[in-house]
Every structure is written in structure tokens, then in C-alpha cells.
Amino acid sequence: QLQLQESGPGLVKPSETLSLTCSVSGDSLSINPYFWAWIRQPPGKGLQWIGSIYYSGNTYYSPSLRGRVTISLDTSKNQFSLRLNSVTAADAAIYYCTRHPAWNHHFDYWGQGILATVSS
Amino acid sequence: NFMLTQPHSVSESPGKTVTISCTRSSGNIDGNYVEWYQQRPGSAPTTVIYEDDQRPSGVPDRFSGSIDRSSNSASLTISGLKTEDEADYYCQSYDSTSRVFGGGTKLTVL
């Protein structure tokens, strides 16, 4: 059974970088043709796709965040990561790591989510 | 880029049927699959419909999805409403470079 688990600091200072990691068990990031993605949800608001990385390493980012976001794979640890630069209060949210197949882009597995707060 | 527009909220009584719409702003609704997620407070979203009209195992057949090319929209229909169906529902689709969610619809079963 595929499982995803987010980890990282829950508190980030304004203008600094938010770094989160997703640990994946039950599947290999580097073998199967899936995308691995980050989605966020500000408190009381809707879901926002941040970006996806293909198992080959190709990346796709939300136009609204492009330039501040980097998603990367660490196949040796079977993890993928999110870095979001220059954070502001608007970046405070629950961050979910997910998977979506290349053939239907359906987010079929989700982590439980991790709350990131932006405060000095 | 395109947007998916959903009603902010809907409400209906137990046992009745409700339909939630999801309208795509540009590009053909039938050009890319539409998915529907249910999210209860404090939990991650779960899939109720994928690939326009497919139900994952474990989702009751009271949930159904459809596509209407004439209005460029997708719909989620829940029949025989139960109080446990009260939740937020999100549609989602994609194009060649982006994955997009609708703004979400809060379903109240009263």
C-alpha cells in the first residue's frame, strides 16, 4: 500500500525559505511513470496545486508560484522535496504531498498534510 | 491557463439528490479528465469520482459524475443524501502544463 508522509519545520520566518520533504513507501519514485506533486490549502480556503515532478525529473509549476518554487527528487531516499522562497503570510497553509499518474492526472494518494505557519 | 468554477455552497435534505457543477473557462471539458474529491474537516481530500465518471472502490454508487459538452461543464451528483455526505467537494482537471482545482463547494445536508 502506497504511503506518503510530509515532514519539515512547521514555522518559517517571513522572507525565508520553506522546505518540506515527502517520504514515500510502497512505490519507487524513479521507476514507475507517475508524477509526484505538492498541493496546499490555506486555512479555510480551497486547494491549490503548487507543482509536480515526473519520475524522469521534469518539473511543472503553478504559474502563480513559478520563480519561487523548486521541487526535486531524491531517489536514493525515495523522497521528494519542496522549496518555496521568500515566503509571506499568504504562504501559510497545510501542505500535502500527492501522486498522480501520467495518464489521467488524478491525485490518487495523499499524505496527511503538514501545517506551515509564517511568522517572525 | 484555465479556471474551474463551482458554486460556493449547496444544501439539501437527507434522502434527496444534489448536483454540483464545475465549469471550465477555456479548453474543452471533454479534452481532459475531471476528478472530484471530498474533504471533511481536518482530513486530506479523498476521491469520489475520477476520469469523469469512474468511482473508486468503496465509494457508494450514490455518487456519479458526468460531462456536458454544451455547457463545458462537469457535474457531481449525489443521490439519497446522507448526513455523512456533508463536506467540501472539489473538482479538478488539467492541461498540458497545469493541474487546476475548482474553488470548492460546501455541501450542507440539513
mmCIF file of all heavy atoms in Angstrom, chain B residues 33-54:
data_model
loop_
_atom_site.group_PDB
_atom_site.id
_atom_site.type_symbol
_atom_site.label_atom_id
_atom_site.label_comp_id
_atom_site.label_asym_id
_atom_site.label_seq_id
_atom_site.Cartn_x
_atom_site.Cartn_y
_atom_site.Cartn_z
ATOM 1 N N TYR B 33 -9.554 14.653 -18.452
ATOM 2 C CA TYR B 33 -10.406 14.076 -17.413
ATOM 3 C C TYR B 33 -10.708 15.081 -16.300
ATOM 4 O O TYR B 33 -9.913 15.969 -15.999
ATOM 5 C CB TYR B 33 -9.738 12.852 -16.778
ATOM 6 C CG TYR B 33 -9.680 11.644 -17.665
ATOM 7 C CD1 TYR B 33 -8.465 11.033 -17.952
ATOM 8 C CD2 TYR B 33 -10.832 11.091 -18.212
ATOM 9 C CE1 TYR B 33 -8.395 9.900 -18.759
ATOM 10 C CE2 TYR B 33 -10.775 9.969 -19.022
ATOM 11 C CZ TYR B 33 -9.561 9.380 -19.286
ATOM 12 O OH TYR B 33 -9.502 8.265 -20.082
ATOM 13 N N VAL B 34 -11.880 14.889 -15.680
ATOM 14 C CA VAL B 34 -12.281 15.650 -14.490
ATOM 15 C C VAL B 34 -12.374 14.686 -13.320
ATOM 16 O O VAL B 34 -12.881 13.572 -13.455
ATOM 17 C CB VAL B 34 -13.630 16.354 -14.708
ATOM 18 C CG1 VAL B 34 -14.061 17.067 -13.420
ATOM 19 C CG2 VAL B 34 -13.540 17.345 -15.858
ATOM 20 N N GLU B 35 -11.843 15.119 -12.203
ATOM 21 C CA GLU B 35 -11.899 14.331 -10.971
ATOM 22 C C GLU B 35 -12.677 15.113 -9.911
ATOM 23 O O GLU B 35 -12.741 16.345 -9.977
ATOM 24 C CB GLU B 35 -10.495 14.018 -10.440
ATOM 25 C CG GLU B 35 -9.348 14.169 -11.407
ATOM 26 C CD GLU B 35 -9.277 13.076 -12.470
ATOM 27 O OE1 GLU B 35 -9.965 12.051 -12.310
ATOM 28 O OE2 GLU B 35 -8.528 13.252 -13.457
ATOM 29 N N TRP B 36 -13.226 14.400 -8.955
ATOM 30 C CA TRP B 36 -13.954 15.015 -7.846
ATOM 31 C C TRP B 36 -13.431 14.456 -6.527
ATOM 32 O O TRP B 36 -13.262 13.235 -6.378
ATOM 33 C CB TRP B 36 -15.449 14.733 -7.947
ATOM 34 C CG TRP B 36 -16.137 15.431 -9.071
ATOM 35 C CD1 TRP B 36 -16.323 14.973 -10.346
ATOM 36 C CD2 TRP B 36 -16.741 16.726 -9.019
ATOM 37 N NE1 TRP B 36 -17.011 15.912 -11.088
ATOM 38 C CE2 TRP B 36 -17.284 16.984 -10.295
ATOM 39 C CE3 TRP B 36 -16.895 17.690 -8.020
ATOM 40 C CZ2 TRP B 36 -17.960 18.178 -10.589
ATOM 41 C CZ3 TRP B 36 -17.554 18.864 -8.317
ATOM 42 C CH2 TRP B 36 -18.083 19.093 -9.586
ATOM 43 N N TYR B 37 -13.180 15.369 -5.591
ATOM 44 C CA TYR B 37 -12.667 14.992 -4.286
ATOM 45 C C TYR B 37 -13.635 15.465 -3.195
ATOM 46 O O TYR B 37 -14.232 16.532 -3.319
ATOM 47 C CB TYR B 37 -11.295 15.618 -4.038
ATOM 48 C CG TYR B 37 -10.278 15.287 -5.096
ATOM 49 C CD1 TYR B 37 -10.135 16.107 -6.209
ATOM 50 C CD2 TYR B 37 -9.476 14.157 -5.011
ATOM 51 C CE1 TYR B 37 -9.226 15.808 -7.209
ATOM 52 C CE2 TYR B 37 -8.561 13.842 -6.001
ATOM 53 C CZ TYR B 37 -8.437 14.678 -7.099
ATOM 54 O OH TYR B 37 -7.527 14.362 -8.097
ATOM 55 N N GLN B 38 -13.707 14.668 -2.150
ATOM 56 C CA GLN B 38 -14.479 15.028 -0.957
ATOM 57 C C GLN B 38 -13.480 15.325 0.156
ATOM 58 O O GLN B 38 -12.500 14.590 0.337
ATOM 59 C CB GLN B 38 -15.359 13.840 -0.541
ATOM 60 C CG GLN B 38 -16.145 14.054 0.742
ATOM 61 C CD GLN B 38 -16.768 12.748 1.245
ATOM 62 O OE1 GLN B 38 -16.078 11.841 1.705
ATOM 63 N NE2 GLN B 38 -18.090 12.658 1.151
ATOM 64 N N GLN B 39 -13.722 16.406 0.893
ATOM 65 C CA GLN B 39 -12.853 16.724 2.019
ATOM 66 C C GLN B 39 -13.685 17.044 3.249
ATOM 67 O O GLN B 39 -14.478 17.998 3.243
ATOM 68 C CB GLN B 39 -11.925 17.898 1.703
ATOM 69 C CG GLN B 39 -10.905 18.155 2.811
ATOM 70 C CD GLN B 39 -9.968 19.296 2.509
ATOM 71 O OE1 GLN B 39 -10.353 20.277 1.879
ATOM 72 N NE2 GLN B 39 -8.727 19.180 2.954
ATOM 73 N N ARG B 40 -13.505 16.243 4.264
ATOM 74 C CA ARG B 40 -14.145 16.501 5.552
ATOM 75 C C ARG B 40 -13.183 17.315 6.413
ATOM 76 O O ARG B 40 -11.963 17.260 6.212
ATOM 77 C CB ARG B 40 -14.532 15.201 6.240
ATOM 78 C CG ARG B 40 -15.604 14.413 5.480
ATOM 79 C CD ARG B 40 -16.170 13.306 6.328
ATOM 80 N NE ARG B 40 -17.304 12.646 5.673
ATOM 81 C CZ ARG B 40 -17.207 11.493 5.033
ATOM 82 N NH1 ARG B 40 -16.042 10.872 4.964
ATOM 83 N NH2 ARG B 40 -18.281 10.955 4.470
ATOM 84 N N PRO B 41 -13.709 18.090 7.385
ATOM 85 C CA PRO B 41 -12.845 18.937 8.216
ATOM 86 C C PRO B 41 -11.719 18.153 8.876
ATOM 87 O O PRO B 41 -11.935 17.073 9.431
ATOM 88 C CB PRO B 41 -13.822 19.497 9.256
ATOM 89 C CG PRO B 41 -15.147 19.485 8.568
ATOM 90 C CD PRO B 41 -15.127 18.252 7.707
ATOM 91 N N GLY B 42 -10.515 18.690 8.753
ATOM 92 C CA GLY B 42 -9.366 18.084 9.412
ATOM 93 C C GLY B 42 -8.748 16.909 8.681
ATOM 94 O O GLY B 42 -7.818 16.292 9.208
ATOM 95 N N SER B 43 -9.256 16.600 7.493
ATOM 96 C CA SER B 43 -8.744 15.442 6.752
ATOM 97 C C SER B 43 -8.269 15.832 5.360
ATOM 98 O O SER B 43 -8.698 16.843 4.813
ATOM 99 C CB SER B 43 -9.836 14.374 6.616
ATOM 100 O OG SER B 43 -10.209 13.881 7.884
ATOM 101 N N ALA B 44 -7.396 15.003 4.809
ATOM 102 C CA ALA B 44 -6.977 15.189 3.425
ATOM 103 C C ALA B 44 -8.134 14.827 2.490
ATOM 104 O O ALA B 44 -9.001 14.026 2.844
ATOM 105 C CB ALA B 44 -5.766 14.314 3.121
ATOM 106 N N PRO B 45 -8.150 15.395 1.304
ATOM 107 C CA PRO B 45 -9.188 15.036 0.327
ATOM 108 C C PRO B 45 -9.110 13.559 -0.061
ATOM 109 O O PRO B 45 -8.032 12.956 -0.057
ATOM 110 C CB PRO B 45 -8.853 15.925 -0.874
ATOM 111 C CG PRO B 45 -8.087 17.074 -0.305
ATOM 112 C CD PRO B 45 -7.289 16.484 0.813
ATOM 113 N N THR B 46 -10.260 13.010 -0.417
ATOM 114 C CA THR B 46 -10.321 11.658 -0.964
ATOM 115 C C THR B 46 -11.142 11.697 -2.250
ATOM 116 O O THR B 46 -12.023 12.549 -2.420
ATOM 117 C CB THR B 46 -10.959 10.665 0.012
ATOM 118 O OG1 THR B 46 -12.298 11.095 0.314
ATOM 119 C CG2 THR B 46 -10.172 10.586 1.309
ATOM 120 N N THR B 47 -10.867 10.788 -3.147
ATOM 121 C CA THR B 47 -11.518 10.769 -4.451
ATOM 122 C C THR B 47 -12.892 10.139 -4.370
ATOM 123 O O THR B 47 -13.051 9.049 -3.786
ATOM 124 C CB THR B 47 -10.673 9.969 -5.449
ATOM 125 O OG1 THR B 47 -9.344 10.505 -5.474
ATOM 126 C CG2 THR B 47 -11.272 10.039 -6.844
ATOM 127 N N VAL B 48 -13.882 10.809 -4.958
ATOM 128 C CA VAL B 48 -15.194 10.184 -5.099
ATOM 129 C C VAL B 48 -15.496 9.843 -6.565
ATOM 130 O O VAL B 48 -16.254 8.922 -6.843
ATOM 131 C CB VAL B 48 -16.325 11.043 -4.502
ATOM 132 C CG1 VAL B 48 -16.220 11.090 -2.976
ATOM 133 C CG2 VAL B 48 -16.327 12.457 -5.074
ATOM 134 N N ILE B 49 -14.909 10.602 -7.500
ATOM 135 C CA ILE B 49 -15.043 10.316 -8.928
ATOM 136 C C ILE B 49 -13.708 10.617 -9.599
ATOM 137 O O ILE B 49 -13.092 11.645 -9.322
ATOM 138 C CB ILE B 49 -16.146 11.172 -9.586
ATOM 139 C CG1 ILE B 49 -17.529 10.820 -9.048
ATOM 140 C CG2 ILE B 49 -16.109 11.048 -11.123
ATOM 141 C CD1 ILE B 49 -18.057 9.450 -9.472
ATOM 142 N N TYR B 50 -13.260 9.737 -10.495
ATOM 143 C CA TYR B 50 -12.080 10.011 -11.295
ATOM 144 C C TYR B 50 -12.391 9.692 -12.761
ATOM 145 O O TYR B 50 -13.369 9.000 -13.054
ATOM 146 C CB TYR B 50 -10.862 9.231 -10.786
ATOM 147 C CG TYR B 50 -10.932 7.734 -11.004
ATOM 148 C CD1 TYR B 50 -10.259 7.133 -12.052
ATOM 149 C CD2 TYR B 50 -11.670 6.927 -10.133
ATOM 150 C CE1 TYR B 50 -10.323 5.766 -12.248
ATOM 151 C CE2 TYR B 50 -11.741 5.562 -10.327
ATOM 152 C CZ TYR B 50 -11.064 4.985 -11.385
ATOM 153 O OH TYR B 50 -11.125 3.626 -11.582
ATOM 154 N N GLU B 51 -11.577 10.235 -13.649
ATOM 155 C CA GLU B 51 -11.785 10.030 -15.094
ATOM 156 C C GLU B 51 -13.247 10.289 -15.477
ATOM 157 O O GLU B 51 -13.900 9.471 -16.138
ATOM 158 C CB GLU B 51 -11.347 8.626 -15.504
ATOM 159 C CG GLU B 51 -9.842 8.427 -15.388
ATOM 160 C CD GLU B 51 -9.380 7.059 -15.859
ATOM 161 O OE1 GLU B 51 -10.238 6.251 -16.291
ATOM 162 O OE2 GLU B 51 -8.174 6.777 -15.785
ATOM 163 N N ASP B 52 -13.749 11.436 -15.081
ATOM 164 C CA ASP B 52 -15.089 11.956 -15.411
ATOM 165 C C ASP B 52 -16.230 11.249 -14.680
ATOM 166 O O ASP B 52 -17.146 11.909 -14.178
ATOM 167 C CB ASP B 52 -15.388 11.856 -16.915
ATOM 168 C CG ASP B 52 -14.441 12.655 -17.778
ATOM 169 O OD1 ASP B 52 -13.787 13.576 -17.251
ATOM 170 O OD2 ASP B 52 -14.361 12.379 -18.992
ATOM 171 N N ASP B 53 -16.238 9.910 -14.693
ATOM 172 C CA ASP B 53 -17.416 9.200 -14.216
ATOM 173 C C ASP B 53 -17.110 7.863 -13.546
ATOM 174 O O ASP B 53 -18.021 7.047 -13.359
ATOM 175 C CB ASP B 53 -18.385 8.952 -15.386
ATOM 176 C CG ASP B 53 -17.753 8.176 -16.530
ATOM 177 O OD1 ASP B 53 -16.596 7.714 -16.383
ATOM 178 O OD2 ASP B 53 -18.402 8.039 -17.584
ATOM 179 N N GLN B 54 -15.855 7.656 -13.160
ATOM 180 C CA GLN B 54 -15.481 6.393 -12.537
ATOM 181 C C GLN B 54 -15.443 6.520 -11.015
ATOM 182 O O GLN B 54 -14.951 7.522 -10.486
ATOM 183 C CB GLN B 54 -14.102 5.944 -13.044
ATOM 184 C CG GLN B 54 -14.035 5.750 -14.538
ATOM 185 C CD GLN B 54 -14.993 4.678 -15.007
ATOM 186 O OE1 GLN B 54 -14.934 3.528 -14.584
ATOM 187 N NE2 GLN B 54 -15.907 5.075 -15.900
#
